[in-house]
Amino acid sequence: MLSKTGREICKVVSFGTFIAFLFVSLGMVCSPGPNMIYLISRTISQGRRAGVISLLGVILGFVIYMIATMLGLSALFITVPFVYESVKWVGAVYLLWLAWNAVKPGATSILKPDTLSIEPPKKLFLMGLMTNLLNPKIAILYVSLLPQFVDPARGSVLLQSAALGLTQIVVSFTINLLIVLVASRVAVWFGTRPTWLRVQRWLMASVLTGLAASLAFDRR
C-alpha cells in the first residue's frame, strides 16, 4: 500500500511513472559512488553522528539539483550539446578513476577503517554537500533522467518535477541513512575477512567501470 506521501505524488504523476522512477532512484543510490564512499569512510572514522551530519549535507545537494532541474538546467544540455558531452565525458573519466583507485596496488577497501581527521559538524555538513555537488554521476543522471518522467499532458511541469525530485530525495535519504547506521558493523565483519575485502574492492571497481561505460556511450 502506498504511503500518504506516495498517494499525493500519484495525484501529480501517474502510478506507473511513480513506480518506474522509484526503482530508478533506488538503483542510483545503491550503486557505489563518491557519496557512498564518503559516508562510509566518515562514519567508520568518526562515528554515526558524523555520518548523519554528512548525509544531511548530501541531501541538501540533491535539493539544489532538484531546484536546478526545475529551473531548466536540463534544457541547457539540450540546447548546448557541447556542455552535455563535456560533462558526460568528465563524469565517465572520473568514475574510471574511482574504479582504478579501488584496485590499484596498495589500495584499501572503503570498508577498511582509515584514519581521517576529526572534523566539526559545520565542516562535515559542507563536505557532504560538496561531495554530492561535485559527483558527476548525480549531476548527469539527475538532470537528464528526471525530465524524461515528466508528462506535460498531466499539467504543471513544475509540480511534477518537484514530486519526482522529492521521491528521489526520500529514497536517497532512507538508503544512505541505513548505510550510515550499519557501516561500522559491516566494517568489523569485513575487517576479519581480508579475502572478502579484496572481493568488495574488485566488485566496486567493476560496477564503477560499468557505470563509466554506460555513461560514455549514452545518447542524450
Side-chain angles (χ1 to χ4, degrees), residues 129-147:
L129 171 62
M130 296 309 298
T131 297
N132 198 11
L133 290 180
L134 298 177
N135 184 349
K137 182 185 72 172
I138 299 301
I140 295 172
L141 293 181
Y142 200 82
V143 300
S144 62
L145 274 179
L146 190 148

Side-chain angles (χ1 to χ4, degrees), residues 110-124:
I110 61 173
L111 295 173
K112 184 177 180 180
D114 195 9
T115 301
L116 294 179
S117 58
I118 303 300
E119 304 292 354
K122 182 178 179 180
K123 188 169 182 179
L124 290 173

Side-chain angles (χ1 to χ4, degrees), residues 27-211:
M28 286 173 61
V29 72
C30 288
S31 62
N35 289 342
M36 183 183 294
I37 293 172
Y38 174 69
L39 290 174
I40 292 176
S41 300
R42 180 54 63 183
T43 301
I44 293 174
S45 175
Q46 198 171 335
R48 289 179 178 175
R49 181 173 180 271
V52 172
I53 294 174
S54 300
L55 173 58
L56 294 177
V58 169
I59 294 303
L60 177 58
F62 283 125
V63 173
I64 292 174
Y65 275 125
M66 180 182 71
I67 294 174
T69 301
M70 292 168 62
L71 294 178
L73 181 59
S74 57
L76 176 64
F77 286 170
I78 296 175
T79 56
V80 188
F82 174 75
V83 175
Y84 175 84
E85 291 296 325
S86 297
V87 174
K88 182 181 77 170
W89 284 105
V90 168
V93 171
Y94 183 63
L95 291 174
L96 287 175
W97 180 80
L98 288 175
W100 165 244
N101 275 273
V103 297
K104 69 180 182 181
T108 58
S109 169
I110 61 173
L111 295 173
K112 184 177 180 180
D114 195 9
T115 301
L116 294 179
S117 58
I118 303 300
E119 304 292 354
K122 182 178 179 180
K123 188 169 182 179
L124 290 173
F125 182 86
L126 291 176
M127 289 171 68
L129 171 62
M130 296 309 298
T131 297
N132 198 11
L133 290 180
L134 298 177
N135 184 349
K137 182 185 72 172
I138 299 301
I140 295 172
L141 293 181
Y142 200 82
V143 300
S144 62
L145 274 179
L146 190 148
Q148 297 181 37
F149 290 86
V150 174
D151 181 8
R154 289 189 65 88
S156 174
V157 170
L158 192 66
L159 286 178
Q160 291 183 63
S161 297
L164 293 172
L166 178 62
T167 299
Q168 192 271 336
I169 290 172
V170 170
V171 170
S172 295
F173 177 79
T174 302
I175 299 300
N176 280 313
L177 181 60
L178 290 175
I179 289 174
V180 167
L181 294 178
V182 304
S184 296
R185 292 185 179 181
V186 173
V188 170
W189 188 90
F190 274 97
T192 59
R193 296 166 175 82
T195 299
W196 281 105
L197 277 176
R198 289 194 293 271
V199 170
Q200 182 271 329
R201 285 168 48 200
W202 281 97
L203 178 61
M204 186 178 74
S206 299
V207 172
L208 290 172
T209 301
L211 287 171

